[in-house]
Amino acid sequence: MSKLPIVFSIRNLATFTFITNLLCSPIIQAQSNSPSPIVTPPVEELLVVGEQPGPGMWKVSKGNNTLWVIATHTPVPQNMKWRAKGIKEVVAGAQEVLSTPSISVSTKNMGFLQTLSLLPMLPMAMEGRKNPDGARLKDLVPAETYARWLVLRDKYIFENNTDDESQDIERWRPIFAALELYSQAIRKNGMVTSSPVWKTVEDEAKRNKIKVTSVAFEAPLGDARGAIRDLNKSRLEDIDCFTKTIDRIEAELGVMRKRANAWARGDIDVLRGLPWQDQREACTNAIQNASFAQKLGMTNVAAKIETAWIEQAEKSLATNAVTVAVLSLNEVVSKTGYLAKLRAKGYTVIDPVEQ
């Protein structure tokens, strides 16, 4: 009998996507909340609307072969449309397209009966979002932090939202409460956490029958049953993630709006000049340092994904005249990002504004 793979995929290294896909993925049948009405408050900087060019493409080359890198970013203005005509033409002429880097945990090496034995555990995994022993947020986080949380919760989650599941958020683990707060704050400030880039590139590649290579580090699935048990009976070290998410929402929404506009307009100088602080590291550590993640083989995630992407990029550059890849904006412009690593290896990297 054939094997039945179960795969957990983590896209773009966005921390909250990491958590959502790992613990609330369709494979454990998590239900998504209905989006609340979008209320855009008055702000200093209006978000761009209509068709926008994005930042163009970074050119990586060695010899006659070229890797074109498209920078994806979230959040982006809700009412913009990405102008991808020139990029579509490059994709159509490529020999290969590299996906956004990810990590997967798969049961493909397990037997069919072993895989089926995990299915009764899935309802238990759905409970992983809640605190063990019925603990509430006010019991877990410092009083000063909890007071700040209440202000933001009432402003972004409870206002105009009658979803029963969201109303029960006080029983969620801090990391999941932070995820919900972040998502609602972004939405109600006129932005969306989904990016149009990868779907557009992938659709164009498929339309032109261009090879699409999934770039991923595949973690060997460890003790899945033990991991789910550990998750449901133990707390995560996620207070720092919760606190830094609140810090960011209180202080950084304006910066996020400026960065969203700069990405949409293709203003690279502004993108490089804006401060880049987020809660990703704190939230990632809360997950990958937990015992359940150790049992799933989810350790040193960022370094392993970086290695997988750079190895594939070098292989594609050596093989293809033209390759197209999609990377998160931070990994493109950061002085320690993926393109900086390729530059250090001797590849020529040219920004869109220099072409």
Side-chain angles (χ1 to χ4, degrees), residues 122-131 173 231-232:
L122 299 184
M124 288 179 60
M126 292 177 64
E127 292 299 312
R129 182 166 54 182
K130 295 182 180 179
N131 289 303
R173 295 174 187 266
L231 172 63
N232 287 331

Side-chain angles (χ1 to χ4, degrees), residues 3-292:
K3 298 178 182 179
L4 176 64
I6 297 177
V7 179
F8 299 81
S9 293
I10 298 136
R11 294 285 181 186
N12 296 330
L13 288 184
T15 299
F16 291 129
T17 304
F18 178 105
I19 298 165
T20 303
N21 285 359
L22 177 59
L23 299 178
C24 298
S25 65
I27 197 61
I28 56 176
Q29 301 176 0
Q31 296 180 356
S32 61
N33 295 329
S34 300
S36 58
I38 296 172
V39 180
T40 305
V43 291
E44 294 181 2
E45 178 166 335
L46 296 176
L47 288 162
V48 299
V49 297
E51 193 174 68
Q52 300 293 330
M57 294 178 286
W58 279 254
K59 181 180 181 181
V60 181
S61 60
K62 197 168 189 179
N64 294 324
N65 294 348
T66 299
L67 168 67
W68 294 102
V69 177
I70 307 167
T72 187
H73 176 63
T74 63
V76 296
Q78 178 196 18
N79 294 319
M80 66 154 282
K81 180 180 179 181
W82 183 45
R83 185 191 309 152
K85 180 181 179 184
I87 289 174
K88 287 181 179 181
E89 292 171 351
V90 172
V91 171
Q95 286 78 57
E96 184 179 19
V97 168
L98 307 184
S99 74
T100 51
S102 64
I103 182 170
S104 64
V105 181
S106 174
T107 62
K108 71 180 183 181
N109 294 321
M110 298 176 65
F112 179 71
L113 294 179
Q114 287 178 299
T115 301
L116 287 182
S117 72
L118 297 178
L119 298 181
M121 306 295 291
L122 299 184
M124 288 179 60
M126 292 177 64
E127 292 299 312
R129 182 166 54 182
K130 295 182 180 179
N131 289 303
D133 304 322
R136 301 177 70 88
L137 284 173
K138 67 179 180 180
D139 303 321
L140 302 176
V141 303
E144 183 272 337
T145 304
Y146 184 71
R148 295 163 61 202
W149 151 259
L150 289 178
V151 173
L152 296 175
R153 181 203 68 181
D154 292 348
K155 180 177 182 180
Y156 292 120
I157 298 177
F158 282 4
E159 185 183 60
N160 300 322
N161 189 347
T162 59
D163 183 82
D164 291 340
E165 198 169 10
S166 290
Q167 297 294 319
D168 198 37
I169 198 169
E170 290 292 324
R171 298 187 182 276
W172 291 9
R173 295 174 187 266
I175 196 168
F176 286 101
L179 163 62
E180 179 69 6
L181 177 62
Y182 179 84
S183 298
Q184 294 286 356
I186 291 298
R187 183 179 295 117
K188 292 184 179 181
N189 275 272
M191 296 177 284
V192 291
T193 55
S194 59
S195 168
V197 174
W198 172 245
K199 185 179 187 305
T200 300
V201 171
E202 184 181 35
D203 288 349
E204 190 65 18
K206 290 180 177 179
R207 191 173 73 83
N208 288 279
K209 296 181 172 55
I210 308 300
K211 177 183 178 182
V212 177
T213 298
S214 177
V215 184
F217 166 74
E218 186 169 320
L221 182 65
D223 181 5
R225 297 173 71 91
I228 293 173
R229 290 193 187 97
D230 281 358
L231 172 63
N232 287 331
K233 72 181 182 182
S234 61
R235 292 177 181 169
L236 300 175
E237 297 296 327
D238 54 359
I239 303 303
D240 190 36
C241 166
F242 183 81
T243 302
K244 287 183 176 177
T245 302
I246 289 176
D247 291 343
R248 192 177 187 207
I249 292 171
E250 286 178 337
E252 295 286 319
L253 281 171
V255 174
M256 284 190 272
R257 292 171 68 89
K258 289 180 180 178
R259 186 180 293 112
N261 275 345
W263 181 87
R265 293 169 174 154
D267 194 332
I268 297 172
D269 288 338
V270 172
L271 290 173
R272 291 189 187 279
L274 289 171
W276 197 288
Q277 298 178 353
D278 62 28
Q279 65 277 39
R280 179 170 58 177
E281 183 176 358
C283 297
T284 300
N285 288 340
I287 292 293
Q288 67 181 17
N289 293 340
S291 60
F292 86 90

